[in-house]
Amino acid sequence: MAFEQPLDRIAPSVSESVSLERERQESTLGMIASENHVSKAVLEAQGSVLTNKYAEGYPGSRYYGGCQHVDTVEELAIEHAKALFEMDHANVQPHSGTQANMGVYFAVLEPGDTILSLSLSHGGHLSHGHNVNFSGQLYDVEQYEVDPETGYIDYDDVAEQAREIEPDMIVSGSSAYPREFEYDRIGEIADEVDAYHLADIAHVTGLIAAGVHSSPAEHADFVTGSTHKTIRAGRGGLIMCDEEHADDVDSAVFPGAQGGPLMHNVAGKAVGFAEARTDEFEAYAERIVADAKRLGEVFDERGLSLVSGGTDKHLLLVDLRDSHPDLTGKEAEEALSDVGIIVNKNTVPGETRSPMVTSGIRVGTPALATRGLEEAEMETVADLIVDVLDAPDDDAVVDRVSSRVDDLCEEFPIYE
Ligand SMILES: *Cc1c(COP(=O)(O)O)cnc(C)c1O
């Protein structure tokens, strides 16, 4: 019966693409700051029969029968999330980080309310009010920026802007800001102007879970995150808040923004969050940051300009305009991709090129740290990257770097 046949028999081209993607991940150095590799256990949970189950509602109060086992799974994910982030309430149902932010907005804002958030071109996120996203269409959005000289957020400027605008919500958190956010400062500003504070920790969920970065829990009304970036719990999102907003958040997620939760992904979260409570994960999170710092030091020694001069976290934003004025972010991304180093082009503060071209690249370490690359290897990787940026059309350089990338990938396999 077709129902019982394996993937390669039923859908050979899907099966082949899955194999090729696995091979691509193994044979390249993945340095996209928002990507990572999950454990075999998380993969198994996500690829399980839980995908078959409808479970609208919440554990113990569902709109469908037969939910006893998925209840157990969701309760576990919630318990781990509350313990990791030290917050009263967790909702683990958002399908993604964007849906998590949607849940918070729907919980306490009305259309037309004002959100103050970091500008996309300075490191913010689409879901913080960009005009192509629902958030920019439903709400009145004002944005703060980094100081163009230092690359840092000037919190006094944000405070001044907040006093002028009197927003209903201030969003902290970013996709491409290399420095630790001062959640306490944003919390104070939000208190002063009587706004909610949403801390979107999407990129640093794992660093905060491990205690490597300080938690926004005390300084924010809501904390949202992704579950697939620095924490390795598979694709998805989550929301945390105090008991006071728990019911509003839960009903904003379901039935407000979503229907049935993806229970196979909730299972991935339960497994990945449990892994994140171990000493091994803490060492991993420390390695992510140590790797990024070492990478930044070598970039700096070799003449690259880094936005804000370096990093506190898992990513670096390289501004190519000083060191390589004729090389665009797009060309750099392509040249590195040709040697098996995968990064993304990224706008930089004061960007003059379009978002499809850009003058920068964003380089992250979470996936390489998962493979076990440490600071010594990061020195090699940094040199390989700069060698390519310095001579993107030199075949001898391309051949040499490609073969070093192959060696590293073999030495540090993802799935043995
Ligand atoms: C990645 C990210 C999100 C969530 O993105 P999804 O692709 O919807 O999971 C939200 N906020 C920030 C700041 C992000 O970087």
Side-chain angles (χ1 to χ4, degrees), residues 117-124 143-155 157-158 161 173-181 306-309 313 317 319 321 347-351:
S117 61
L118 180 63
S119 147
L120 183 69
S121 63
H122 287 233
Q143 305 220 278
Y144 54 95
E145 299 192 334
V146 302
D147 180 323
E149 292 301 313
T150 62
Y152 277 80
I153 291 167
D154 182 328
Y155 292 91
D157 284 353
V158 179
Q161 215 178 341
S174 69
S175 300
Y177 180 60
R179 295 298 174 176
E180 190 169 359
F181 244 86
L306 303 172
V307 173
S308 84
K313 44 164 96 141
L317 191 54
D319 185 339
R321 290 175 299 188
T347 52
V348 290
E351 183 61 72

Side-chain angles (χ1 to χ4, degrees), residues 34 95-101 123-128 171-176 200-203 224-229 235-237 362:
S34 51
H95 301 332
S96 76
T98 296
Q99 258 71 54
N101 289 337
H125 190 256
L126 284 171
S127 63
H128 294 178
V171 182
S172 59
S174 69
S175 300
D200 177 351
I201 61 169
H203 264 262
T224 54
S226 293
T227 54
H228 48 269
K229 294 179 181 174
R235 202 146 285 275
R362 189 182 67 163

Side-chain angles (χ1 to χ4, degrees), residues 85-88 183-188 191 197 199 208 214-223 240-242:
F85 302 100
E86 294 172 359
M87 292 193 78
D88 295 346
Y183 303 108
D184 53 342
R185 293 294 307 277
I186 298 284
E188 280 168 23
D191 278 349
H197 175 199
I208 291 171
S214 62
S215 167
E218 276 177 42
H219 311 290
D221 301 288
F222 305 95
V223 176
M240 283 149 309
C241 61
D242 293 337

